[in-house]
Amino acid sequence: MTRIGIIIGSTRPGRNGAAVAQWVHDVARERSEAEFELVDLIDYKLPHLDEIYPPSMGQYQQPHTLEWANKIASFDGFVMVTPEYNHSTSGALKNAIDFLYNEWNNKAVGFVSYGSVGGARAVEHLRLIAGELQMADVRSQVALSLFTDFENFSVFKPNDFQRDALNATLDQVVAWSRALAPLRGK
């Protein structure tokens, strides 16, 4: 069965990302065409990139990198839940992405973002990164506004239409994950 990882892209104390990712997971679990799993960057304790060789060589030396690589390799596609910090994604998510290369290749990725302008600028940066990693980024995305989808900028209360946007994103991530399976040798 197609496996999709939902990556919580923030490690910040008091982060909104955990609640957003849990909502994504709850909606996704209502579906039957794929398995969905939450992946929390906090659980992987990745320091700043500390590998000797470039990730494209796949010669990982650090135990934390090997654990991270095994987790990412187990998925066919991803939904990345990202905040927008300073017109981009979080440093923690960018660092986690940069640790690996082959494990991302030929997999689909969709984005759920949040911020003052819905996290749109963070997603634009992630789309550029996805291209370099040979990932297929899907068109549909969920852009959550801190002004309208959160109470007091911290209590997640998505507008009803966001569920439709999420389902459209999940539809595309699952379809593209399946379509890319032959390139992954599946």
Side-chain angles (χ1 to χ4, degrees):
M1 177 164 287
T2 302
R3 289 182 31 82
I4 306 297
I6 301 166
I7 299 175
I8 305 172
S10 173
T11 58
R12 188 178 190 170
R15 64 191 173 157
N16 288 323
V20 173
Q22 186 61 58
W23 170 71
V24 171
H25 191 242
D26 290 345
V27 171
R29 288 179 53 203
E30 296 172 5
R31 304 166 70 97
S32 61
E33 77 276 31
E35 294 176 4
F36 297 88
E37 180 181 333
L38 280 174
V39 179
D40 195 338
L41 293 182
I42 285 178
D43 296 336
Y44 291 88
K45 310 289 187 235
L46 296 169
H48 287 288
L49 185 56
D50 63 347
E51 288 289 340
I52 296 169
Y53 301 106
S56 60
M57 294 179 72
Q59 297 179 18
Y60 307 131
Q61 306 294 309
Q62 303 294 338
H64 52 260
T65 308
L66 294 168
E67 179 185 14
W68 179 236
N70 287 334
K71 177 52 73 177
I72 296 306
S74 75
F75 296 110
D76 300 298
F78 304 94
V79 174
M80 293 184 182
V81 176
T82 183
E84 182 174 305
Y85 299 152
N86 301 317
H87 289 219
S88 192
T89 191
S90 71
L93 180 56
K94 177 66 166 83
N95 186 57
I97 291 168
D98 286 347
F99 260 91
L100 308 176
Y101 181 73
N102 294 318
E103 294 78 6
W104 301 114
N105 293 175
N106 301 313
K107 296 180 181 181
V109 62
F111 303 103
V112 175
S113 58
Y114 56 95
S116 58
V117 292
R121 297 169 294 205
V123 171
E124 290 306 310
H125 286 179
L126 286 168
R127 289 184 190 283
L128 293 171
I129 295 163
E132 179 61 23
L133 295 171
Q134 300 182 55
M135 299 179 82
D137 60 308
V138 303
R139 181 180 184 276
S140 185
Q141 76 178 69
V142 181
L144 301 162
S145 170
L146 288 174
F147 296 100
T148 59
D149 293 300
F150 293 84
E151 184 177 282
N152 297 320
F153 304 104
S154 61
V155 178
F156 183 52
K157 293 186 176 181
N159 283 297
D160 292 339
F161 69 87
Q162 297 290 15
R163 184 182 183 94
D164 292 337
L166 176 56
N167 275 310
T169 301
L170 294 171
D171 287 345
Q172 291 177 11
V173 168
V174 170
W176 277 95
S177 295
R178 288 182 175 164
L180 292 168
L183 296 177
R184 294 189 306 276
K186 288 190 169 189

